[in-house]
Amino acid sequence: MDRRIQLPITRETARTIKSGESCLLSGVIYTARDAAHKRLCELLREGRPLPFDVKDATIYYVGPTPAKPGRVIGSAGPTTSYRMDAYSPAMIEAGETGMIGKGKRGPEVVEAMKRFGAVYFAAIGGAGALLSSCIKEAEIVCYEDLGAEAVRRLRVEDLPVVCVIDSEGNNLYESGRNAYLASQK
Amino acid sequence: MRELSADALTGVIARLCVEANCVLPCDVKARIEEARKTEPWETAQGILDRIIENYGIAEANAVPICQDTGVCCVFLKIGQDVHLTGDIRAAVDEGVRRGYAEGYLRKSVVKDPLRRVNTGDNTPAMLYTELVPGDRIEITVAPKGFGSENMSRLAMLKPSDGVEGVKAFIRKTVEEAGPNPCPPVVVGVGIGGTFDKAAYLAKKALMRSTDERNADPYYAALEAELLESINALGVGPQGFGGRTTALAVNIEWMPTHIAGLPVAVNINCHVTRHKTAVL
């Protein structure tokens, strides 16, 4: 049974979401990939405000295809998350509570998630056409010069994700694989 | 000698860019649907269902299957009896430019790997040319996503490492990639040649239909054995566990030096795209 989560996710809510849990997210999320994270973290280092409120924010690692006429957005599946590992601890410390991407995360990210209370979700990589149907509104917040990598504010309804790493550091990529292998013995 | 204007390539390439990005090849669909039938793990079954639903939506609405519409690899097999007039490179790039604009595809190419400014039109294409007998030109467009490209590896093994060393390296590459390249993956392998030729062969292996095994029975058996052992790793669709880690292993090989055993592994995700036309 999928758990419905209304965004934003507070630190307290983040600590209740468990690795392996399938969730449907509704509300506002922000998009950022490598190039946008680099700029956001430069602002954080300089102690300047971010172009959007990062407190309790969920960031989706995605660079969508351009919207066809009459559509909100193009295909919009997750990109590989480890490229954001260099930036995520600072973002989590600044208030980010949710990350949506796909693939492994480094130990420094997991440590920050445990320390501050944050969750890492995966959306299905390569299912960009399907995931885009959950995006009801999209607008560029900043960094328009980055094209697909600009920061966008999205309103999503029932975006299907799976909690891969929870705020205790439990990891579905390890437990899921181990459970499957154990079932085959 | 057949004379052809290079400009003839442009329209064909533009069309192939759009079709390749929105319609998954039949053989890849068949592999995914077969895997769904044999997958014993429930979570994995659910993921495969959504992957199937996704390419159905993409095809019906003519939208890209995946938002990473890739760097555009263009393979030209040019018949030696064709005389192409005009600028081939410009004609190919114009095709990519047009296809990525008209198809609402993502522009994912930076002009310079270090200074990283987007070219804005997904050019230049990664252009591969090969001279073949005849008077035709075969054009294959293969958009290549980088989630899987980043998980690709190359090793200069020793001859003493032999086939066991090659198998271990391929298996390790897929295992270490884990969830990152969007499994289930298609594994392209190049064995032999030189450092660069091995990588080229691995890319070329991904252009071969997953319906087709290597023409040499020895390598066909190796492909089957590797697929079986990769699907025993337990990584599963999206890395959440399960049987279906790979859909196919395609190997290409060529002669090499007495001192060497190069092996390259080029990984492709379940959105393995390529589309071919002949002029």
Side-chain angles (χ1 to χ4, degrees):
Chain A
M1 191 58 192
D2 294 343
R3 173 170 169 186
R4 285 206 142 78
I5 293 177
Q6 187 61 47
L7 301 159
I9 297 169
T10 61
R11 297 275 193 218
E12 294 68 39
T13 307
R15 294 207 185 268
T16 69
I17 302 169
K18 299 299 171 202
S19 175
E21 214 169 359
S22 290
C23 302
L24 296 169
L25 307 183
S26 296
V28 169
I29 60 178
Y30 293 92
T31 72
R33 293 171 43 105
D34 317 43
H37 269 88
K38 187 168 182 234
R39 292 187 189 179
L40 293 170
C41 285
E42 272 161 20
L43 292 176
L44 286 176
R45 244 195 325 275
E46 293 161 5
R48 293 162 62 194
L50 297 190
F52 60 92
D53 189 4
V54 72
K55 185 178 181 297
D56 295 343
T58 294
I59 310 263
Y60 186 14
Y61 303 152
V62 59
T65 58
K68 280 187 156 182
R71 292 189 181 262
V72 170
I73 199 163
S75 286
T79 194
T80 322
S81 306
Y82 73 89
R83 299 194 318 271
M84 268 51 77
D85 284 359
Y87 310 114
S88 292
M91 293 293 287
I92 292 168
E93 188 172 357
E96 173 184 277
T97 51
M99 296 163 281
I100 308 169
K102 51 125 176 153
K104 300 179 216 179
R105 303 311 302 264
E108 66 280 23
V109 179
V110 180
E111 274 317 304
M113 290 167 63
K114 285 156 78 172
R115 186 167 160 216
F116 296 103
V119 273
Y120 171 53
F121 299 105
I124 298 180
L130 176 67
L131 291 163
S132 71
S133 64
C134 305
I135 300 169
K136 305 301 176 188
E137 289 169 24
E139 60 169 349
I140 291 181
V141 175
C142 59
Y143 310 150
E144 197 164 0
D145 62 298
L146 295 178
E149 294 201 74
V151 171
R152 288 170 172 81
R153 178 184 182 277
L154 307 181
R155 189 175 64 77
V156 298
E157 268 176 33
D158 290 340
L159 183 77
V161 294
V162 177
C163 174
V164 175
I165 306 174
D166 63 24
S167 60
E168 290 169 358
N170 300 303
N171 189 335
L172 178 65
Y173 290 139
E174 291 158 15
S175 64
R177 184 180 174 199
N178 290 340
Y180 167 75
L181 289 173
S183 79
Q184 297 301 299
K185 274 179 189 154
Chain B
M1 181 69 81
R2 181 181 171 214
E3 192 153 304
L4 197 64
S5 163
D7 291 342
L9 297 169
T10 301
V12 177
I13 288 172
R15 175 173 63 80
L16 294 178
C17 286
V18 179
E19 287 179 13
N21 272 298
C22 300
V23 183
L24 197 64
C26 292
D27 65 290
V28 182
K29 286 182 190 167
R31 293 296 85 72
I32 294 172
E33 284 158 33
E34 282 162 18
R36 171 63 185 83
K37 289 195 187 106
T38 53
E39 175 61 61
W41 197 238
E42 202 182 324
T43 317
Q45 292 170 353
I47 300 285
L48 292 170
D49 282 339
R50 279 186 164 152
I51 286 173
I52 293 167
E53 191 186 349
N54 179 67
Y55 62 66
I57 293 173
E59 190 168 334
N61 299 339
V63 294
I65 307 161
C66 175
Q67 76 292 335
D68 187 355
T69 52
V71 61
C72 195
C73 299
V74 176
F75 292 78
L76 297 181
K77 281 188 188 168
I78 304 171
Q80 62 194 24
D81 298 329
V82 186
H83 176 223
L84 272 165
T85 58
D87 187 332
I88 299 177
R89 160 55 76 181
V92 167
D93 283 344
E94 182 55 26
V96 171
R97 187 174 293 119
R98 221 182 272 175
Y100 275 70
E102 288 166 4
Y104 294 87
L105 307 176
R106 197 178 79 183
K107 289 75 181 174
S108 312
V109 174
V110 290
K111 187 164 189 262
D112 173 320
L114 294 179
R115 288 170 289 186
R116 308 202 71 85
V117 175
N118 199 301
T119 59
D121 58 8
N122 220 52
T123 67
M126 298 293 145
L127 181 58
Y128 305 81
T129 54
E130 192 182 334
L131 284 174
V132 295
D135 65 354
R136 289 172 175 257
I137 301 179
E138 186 192 283
I139 307 159
T140 298
V141 167
K144 185 68 177 78
F146 250 59
S148 53
E149 194 73 358
N150 280 334
M151 293 298 113
S152 303
R153 299 288 181 265
L154 190 145
M156 301 303 282
L157 299 181
K158 302 187 292 295
S160 64
D161 292 324
V163 68
E164 290 310 317
V166 168
K167 287 193 281 193
F169 176 70
I170 296 165
R171 213 174 115 105
K172 180 168 152 260
T173 300
V174 177
E175 185 172 24
E176 284 180 359
N180 292 5
C182 291
V185 295
V186 175
V187 185
V189 178
I191 309 173
T194 50
F195 181 79
D196 55 312
K197 287 282 184 191
Y200 168 69
L201 287 175
K203 175 75 80 242
K204 203 175 155 194
L206 292 173
M207 299 305 121
R208 198 211 305 156
S209 165
T210 57
D211 283 333
E212 243 177 84
R213 292 298 96 227
N214 193 294
D216 181 330
Y218 174 82
Y219 281 97
L222 189 57
E223 289 173 343
E225 185 192 338
L226 276 162
L227 180 61
E228 192 64 33
S229 76
I230 286 168
N231 282 336
L233 289 171
V235 173
Q238 299 294 308
F240 298 151
R243 180 179 186 280
T244 317
T245 302
L247 300 168
V249 178
N250 286 0
I251 301 174
E252 294 291 326
W253 61 276
M254 70 185 294
T256 190
H257 191 276
I258 48 172
L261 177 47
V263 53
V265 181
N266 194 192
I267 298 183
N268 221 346
C269 58
H270 59 86
V271 191
T272 286
R273 297 156 285 190
H274 44 82
K275 183 93 186 162
T276 300
V278 178
L279 267 182

